Amino acid sequence: MARPARTGKPRKLEDNLERLRGRSRTGSRRRPPGWSHGISTDWEERGTMVTRMTGSLSKKALATISALAVTSAAFAAEIEVRSGATGPFEAWVLKELPSQLPADGLAFKNQPFKLTVPDGESGFLLVKDGRGNVAWSDISSVKTGIWTIQSNIWRIGEVRVNATQGSDPLDGGMAVLEAKGWSASALISGGEALFFGVPPGEVSVSVQYLEGKTKKATTPQKYTLALDRDEAAPVLAVAVPAGKAGEGKPEAKEGQAADKGGRTGRGQAEGADQGVRSPVANAIVWLLALGIGIGALYALFRWLKANESKVAEKLRSVGVSVPDGTQSDDDGADAPPGQAPPFDPRAQRPEPLPHEAFAPVGATGAAAPTPKPSAPRLLVQGATVEIPDGAVLLGREAGEGVILISDPTVSRKHAEVRREGDAVIIRDVGSSNGTYVNGSRIEGETTLQPGDRIHLGSAELRFEA
């Protein structure tokens, strides 16, 4: 069979040229001879695998970044605290709410301020202002990284209850503090119980104690606690009726209410002794007893006055000396044996001089006798008393060498008057109402001048010379 005639270049050469150019007959690019179909397919599969792995890693990275963003938003590294209260402030980051105010907090002069919170940890933020008030919040409730303390969540930081029994502090027992929707109890040690985080407003406090083996409780006393106050820790005083207090301490029973943060509280006081009177009731009882006693004494006095003669006869019959009311005050009959009668000013009145002492020169020319110089004297309650040489006491208590002054404002031994030659000196001897000369109170010795007015209490004397 005859072959078809070839035209132009040989076909083999043409095919070789086309291979070298990398093109097929149709003009499409062909792979070089070394790039077989198997090799091409392997690289394509590898490329697809790399693409799939890259896509998978991208999804995991996005999920991790999203989780970190959510965690950072829920537990911020720093929380800004804002408040309308006055500083300085003290703050704590705590794992649990305490039962009393902790020590060594972070100090801040003003607000707002920032607190650092560990990532992912739960707990509480506690803040104390300049007046001793506290506020707290669960860290998980702060979503935006800013805690704004509202005015209605502030509480009194510390409240102390002082319990006394008579003049001594009560050792043992339990103090109970109650407010609207809140109550707490604390053991008393050394006469004191401490409460933390007490709501402001009206509170009532009572004390449970043991008397012997009997459980008793004081009547609740009401107090008002304010956020704006002078003392940081208010003190509430409770007086326990005097008696034999037991050594046991009441314990909190199951079913008692618990304050927020785990502090033990209670409802109404159980077993309270309704017979324990309040201080006001005790005062009323004492006033009634005092009135009855005064009335009885007054009735006895009236009876003695009405039966004075009979009482005097009875006393004389048993050997008691009773003065006779008809006797003179200055007869000295009742003075004890061997003792001079009381110095009574009225008994010292000088006798008037005879007229002859002041007679003019007679017809015979004889001169009248020269008058004797008058001695210094005191005018006491209308009587003139000559001041002897030496010292004499002025007072309300009768005795030898005492000028007696009957006045309840005069002390028993009130003042001393001493005569030294022509000088008369007065001094106070520790009287209650003092000694005054011409209206001025004397502290030491004072020399009297004629006409000086002396006051011993409300009694008035005049010095003459």
Side-chain angles (χ1 to χ4, degrees), residues 422-440:
D422 294 332
V424 177
I425 301 170
I426 187 171
R427 69 181 182 91
D428 191 270
V429 292
S431 65
S432 299
N433 297 320
T435 301
Y436 296 79
V437 175
N438 297 327
S440 299

Side-chain angles (χ1 to χ4, degrees), residues 50-337:
V50 170
T51 301
R52 290 176 179 174
M53 291 176 64
T54 303
S56 177
L57 289 173
S58 298
K59 290 179 181 179
K60 291 181 179 180
L62 289 174
T64 303
I65 293 173
S66 300
L68 290 175
V70 172
T71 304
S72 299
F75 300 95
E78 285 188 342
I79 293 180
E80 182 176 296
V81 180
R82 300 176 182 178
S83 169
T86 57
F89 297 90
E90 198 170 1
W92 297 264
V93 179
L94 306 170
K95 291 185 177 181
E96 59 183 14
L97 200 61
S99 59
Q100 62 182 21
L101 197 62
D104 302 329
L106 299 175
F108 302 94
K109 291 184 178 180
N110 300 302
Q111 56 86 28
F113 53 86
K114 293 183 179 181
L115 296 176
T116 301
V117 179
D119 291 342
E121 291 190 8
S122 60
F124 292 89
L125 302 176
L126 177 64
V127 174
K128 180 174 75 72
D129 69 0
R131 290 189 175 93
N133 302 318
V134 296
W136 60 80
S137 175
D138 194 329
I139 295 176
S140 61
S141 64
V142 182
K143 300 295 185 181
T144 61
I146 298 175
W147 178 31
T148 301
I149 304 177
Q150 304 298 327
S151 59
N152 60 347
I153 68 171
W154 286 104
R155 293 191 175 191
I156 313 296
E158 288 185 343
V159 175
R160 300 179 183 274
V161 174
N162 282 354
T164 57
Q165 189 170 42
S167 59
D168 300 324
L170 179 67
D171 191 12
M174 179 179 292
V176 179
L177 201 60
E178 294 180 321
K180 184 178 181 181
W182 178 92
S183 66
S185 59
L187 294 176
I188 298 173
S189 177
E192 184 177 272
L194 182 64
F195 292 86
F196 171 74
V198 180
E202 186 178 88
V203 298
S204 65
V205 58
S206 60
V207 171
Q208 298 178 2
Y209 63 100
L210 293 178
E211 186 173 319
K213 295 184 179 180
T214 305
K215 180 180 177 182
K216 293 188 176 182
T218 61
T219 302
Q221 297 176 233
K222 294 188 181 297
Y223 292 89
T224 300
L225 302 177
L227 294 176
D228 187 5
R229 62 191 183 279
D230 295 330
E231 66 280 6
V235 178
L236 312 182
V238 179
V240 177
K244 183 179 179 182
E247 298 180 353
K249 300 179 180 180
E251 298 179 354
K253 298 182 179 180
E254 296 183 359
Q256 291 179 335
D259 187 21
K260 185 175 182 180
R263 292 184 301 277
T264 303
R266 59 178 287 282
Q268 298 295 326
E270 298 179 5
D273 184 8
Q274 301 299 328
V276 178
R277 293 189 296 268
S278 66
V280 176
N282 288 333
I284 293 174
V285 172
W286 277 105
L287 289 175
L288 289 176
L290 182 61
I292 293 173
I294 293 175
L297 290 176
Y298 180 72
L300 178 60
F301 173 76
R302 292 293 301 271
W303 183 86
L304 290 175
K305 290 292 291 182
N307 300 274
E308 187 175 357
S309 59
K310 294 181 180 179
V311 173
E313 291 178 1
K314 289 288 186 183
L315 291 175
R316 290 192 186 98
S317 65
V318 295
V320 178
S321 178
V322 179
D324 189 357
T326 61
Q327 292 179 347
S328 175
D329 293 333
D330 57 351
D331 57 4
D334 296 329

